[in-house]
Each structure stands twice: as structure tokens, then as C-alpha cells.
Amino acid sequence: MPAPVTTPPLFPTHSPDALLAFQFSSWYPRFASHSIRSTIIRPLSAAFRDYLDSDGVFVPEGAEDLPAESTLSDDEDAAAQPEEAADEPVRFAFPELDARIREAIADYGAVFPKLNFSSPRDAAWMLPASSPLRCASPADVYLLLKSSDFVQHDLDPALVFDGCEPPPAADSSSNPYELELVLRKWYPVDHARELRCFVRQENLIGISQRDPNYYDFWNERETQEKVVNAVTTFWEKHIKGQWEQTRGDYTFDFLLTRDLSRGHIVDFNPYLPRTDPLLFTYEELHDILLARISPDADASAGVGAGARGPVLRVVDSPSHPAASRNAPMHQHNMVPFEALAMSSGRGVSEFASAWQDEIRKSMAEQAKEDADADEGEDA
């Protein structure tokens, strides 16, 4: 009598050790020849963590390319100062780290940064749109990291190990977590060729277009089959069987070559709710997994290859719910440049007060301009 088949849960469990396998310094040495050239700087000092966790958006001293001065006038600045001198703001400077960053920039031409797990993609708007995430100085690196909500996840071990089973020991000695800075060689990326791939129990079950915009070429059946074959071949040759510490549960981001026949690894992420399933839901991916491991299960879980091949999901129409051609990615994180300029060296409450004063000033100036314009028309 055959042994009963155990239905896998919606999400696998990850121990702290398994979770740490996804930090960049853990997986990159194994896959460096199939990924982007990168420099890892670790461990970072407690002062650098404090800098990233401090209020305001500013760069450390000596990092060059400092943000613009406050838009308040000198008179207003002086009037706003209390009679007694306020406490001096904490100053940060990282000359040794600056030197390491400059070395990487000299080697690669330009870099884009990330921490152990997260990259500041949500802060790409801080640098010129023509070359998003391109850092040509330590100041650029710090500005991206300081402006990002995403990288905050990596600063707090409680968030890093959230959901681990068993949870990490209270003293963390058995699972040491050290903050690291990764500098990757920057080059222009065609986001239309970015994919996220989902693997459960060492089964490649799903491939999703990563950029939520519509591209005509993704509707061609021949192109879809070519891409599924390219990703599957790469995965079987270079990745499959190398994630024993997670029992074959993981996701990986993949960038196709221009001819869509090959590609390279961009990143690995845990197969957990914190990783965006993009054009899938995790329930759909679970159904696909069941179809894969259960011969009698329905193999039509989605558009794609069926029970024995991964399912491919793309934005197949300009009206697709995921399409966002007219909305910048991570637009909820964007603030006016004037707000950035005014934030330097200010606490949250101090910045909020200054920003409200600036809004009132702008409204008064606009009202005066409208009144002058009305007088001109009457004349």
C-alpha cells in the first residue's frame, strides 16, 4: 500500500540559519560567475547603522556632493533659532568606508548599492532618471540608502528573523547577523527583461514578469516558450540542487540577455510572504506546486507549461490590473526636492514645522502674484 502523500504548506518554514543563506554575502560566492560583479563590505560599524537609522536625509561629512541648502532665507533661519544654543546635531563621517566605495567606483565605473537583503529601489528617483540607482560617489550611495524605506528592514534583526522557526536565540550568538554594504557594478538595465522565478521543494513552478508595464513582445507565444526554456535550462544547470539549507524553497530574480536566450542571476530571496509574488498569488503558486507533485491533480493552474514545466505570467494587455505605465514605481515614497533640501540636519518635528512654514510662505507668495496679475488685467 503506497505511503500517504503529505500536502506541503502554503509557505515553508525557515530557520534563522536558512534565512541567513539569503543575505548577499552568503549566496554570492557560490554564484558569482553567473551574477553581476560585486564588492561586499562587512561588517559595518555601529555608527553607520546609527547614521542610517537617524532622522533626516543627509550625507556624512567628507562624502562630497552634499544636498542643497535649506530654502529658508538666512534671516528666517536666524529668527527661528532660540536664544539658547540648541544641542549640536550628531555628525557622521566614514572616511574608511568612503575610500572603499571610491575604490569600487574606480573599478566598476559606477555602482548601485544594497544591504544584506534589500536594495534601495524605492529611492531610485533621488538620482537622475536617465540613470536610476547609478552612484558615482560615496554621497550618492549614502543618499540612496538614507532615502529608502526598503533598506530599513535590514537594520533591525527582529524584522530580519521575523517568522523564523524556531526563532533565533535571545543572545543571537548562534545566528550572528552583521550589517553589510554591497556595491554592484552599475549598467543600464532593460526592465522589460527582468523576471522573478519561484521554486518550491526544488521544483521551478512559476516565472513572473517583474516590471508591471505592458510590452508587446511578451504576447508572442514563441517568445514565451523561448523564455521558459531559457530560464529552465539555466536553473537546471546552475542553480538546482544548491539550496539544501532551505530544502529547495527559494525565489530568484533573473535578467535575460537581449536575445532572450540566456541570462544571469540578480538576487535570491526567501519563499516567504515578505517576497512579492508579483503577477501570482501564493495561493496560485501553491496550486501549481500541488499539480506538479500530484500526478492526478489539475495541471491548469495558470498560463504556462502545465504540470511538468513552470507557469509564465506576463502583463498581456495595457489594461492588465498590474499595468502602471503612467505611474512611477514606488511613487508613494517620493517627496518634493525642496523637502529633501530642508531635511538636512533637522529632527522630524523641526522639519515638519519648517515645511509647514514654507508651504504658508509659498501660498502667500502665490496669492500676491494672483492679486498683481488681476491688477494688471484691470489696468
Side-chain angles (χ1 to χ4, degrees):
M1 185 174 180
V5 177
T6 302
T7 301
L10 182 61
F11 294 103
T13 58
H14 281 318
S15 67
D17 283 337
L19 203 288
L20 286 177
F22 291 99
Q23 67 178 346
F24 193 86
S25 60
S26 296
W27 68 259
Y28 181 73
R30 285 180 289 154
F31 298 100
S33 60
H34 305 295
S35 190
I36 304 164
R37 291 180 62 197
S38 303
T39 296
I40 303 168
I41 303 174
R42 65 171 297 173
L44 298 174
S45 66
F48 186 73
R49 185 193 296 265
D50 292 342
Y51 161 69
L52 292 180
D53 220 11
S54 62
D55 291 334
V57 178
F58 59 96
V59 297
E61 295 179 357
E64 70 199 32
D65 301 338
L66 295 176
E69 296 294 329
S70 167
T71 54
L72 294 176
S73 71
D74 292 340
D75 291 341
E76 290 171 313
D77 280 338
Q81 294 295 324
E83 292 183 3
E84 295 184 5
D87 292 338
E88 284 291 322
V90 177
R91 297 182 181 276
F92 294 95
F94 308 105
E96 294 182 1
L97 184 57
D98 293 347
R100 295 286 300 277
I101 294 173
R102 291 188 177 102
E103 287 176 8
I105 291 172
D107 189 15
Y108 300 147
V111 300
F112 68 95
K114 65 172 295 181
L115 299 183
N116 304 51
F117 301 93
S118 308
S119 65
R121 291 169 64 96
D122 57 325
W125 59 277
M126 294 294 294
L127 297 180
S130 58
S131 52
L133 298 176
R134 181 183 186 275
C135 297
S137 70
D140 292 342
V141 171
Y142 299 140
L143 188 62
L144 282 181
L145 295 175
K146 201 74 173 68
S147 305
S148 172
D149 289 338
F150 288 1
V151 302
Q152 290 295 313
H153 165 272
D154 295 13
L155 302 182
D156 186 352
L159 293 177
V160 170
F161 295 110
D162 182 41
C164 285
E165 296 181 17
D171 61 3
S172 300
S173 59
S174 59
N175 301 103
Y177 176 66
E178 297 180 328
L179 195 65
E180 63 193 34
L181 174 63
V182 179
L183 303 171
R184 314 202 72 183
K185 178 180 173 64
W186 184 92
Y187 58 91
V189 171
D190 180 0
H191 296 294
R193 295 186 274 113
E194 287 186 299
L195 303 170
R196 175 160 291 171
C197 308
F198 302 86
V199 181
R200 278 299 305 272
Q201 298 185 346
E202 212 59 273
N203 291 283
L204 178 60
I205 57 176
I207 303 171
S208 173
Q209 177 184 332
R210 193 172 181 193
D211 181 19
N213 287 307
Y214 170 73
Y215 300 96
D216 288 334
F217 76 91
W218 276 121
N219 273 333
E220 301 166 4
R221 188 69 182 181
E222 181 180 350
T223 295
Q224 294 185 11
E225 292 175 352
K226 181 178 183 179
V227 167
V228 169
N229 181 65
V231 174
T232 302
T233 298
F234 183 96
W235 172 73
E236 290 179 341
K237 185 176 181 181
H238 302 296
I239 301 177
K240 186 177 182 180
Q242 298 197 53
W243 282 88
E244 296 90 347
Q245 64 270 59
T246 67
R247 299 184 297 277
D249 296 316
Y250 54 93
T251 74
F252 65 96
D253 293 337
F254 194 68
L255 180 63
L256 293 161
T257 54
R258 288 186 178 87
D259 63 2
L260 308 181
S261 66
R262 295 170 294 109
H264 61 254
I265 299 165
V266 176
D267 206 355
F268 285 97
N269 287 289
Y271 194 104
L272 291 174
R274 69 180 68 175
T275 301
D276 192 341
L278 300 176
L279 300 182
F280 291 98
T281 66
Y282 277 111
E283 288 75 16
E284 290 171 331
L285 289 167
H286 191 247
D287 289 342
I288 299 169
L289 173 65
L290 297 181
R292 178 69 60 84
I293 65 176
S294 304
D296 297 331
D298 181 10
S300 58
V303 179
R308 296 303 168 192
V311 173
L312 174 67
R313 291 276 176 89
V314 298
V315 178
D316 56 9
S317 163
S319 59
H320 190 285
S324 57
R325 183 175 300 277
N326 295 320
M329 292 183 67
H330 315 304
Q331 60 180 331
H332 58 284
N333 283 5
M334 297 183 181
V335 297
F337 182 78
E338 289 81 358
L340 167 65
M342 292 176 62
S343 70
S344 182
R346 299 177 185 268
V348 174
S349 60
E350 185 182 3
F351 164 68
S353 176
W355 182 240
Q356 291 298 322
D357 289 344
E358 188 69 10
I359 291 175
R360 286 191 290 269
K361 176 184 174 183
S362 296
M363 293 176 64
E365 290 176 349
Q366 184 62 51
K368 183 177 185 302
E369 291 176 1
D370 291 344
D372 291 344
D374 291 340
E375 292 176 2
E377 289 175 2
D378 293 342

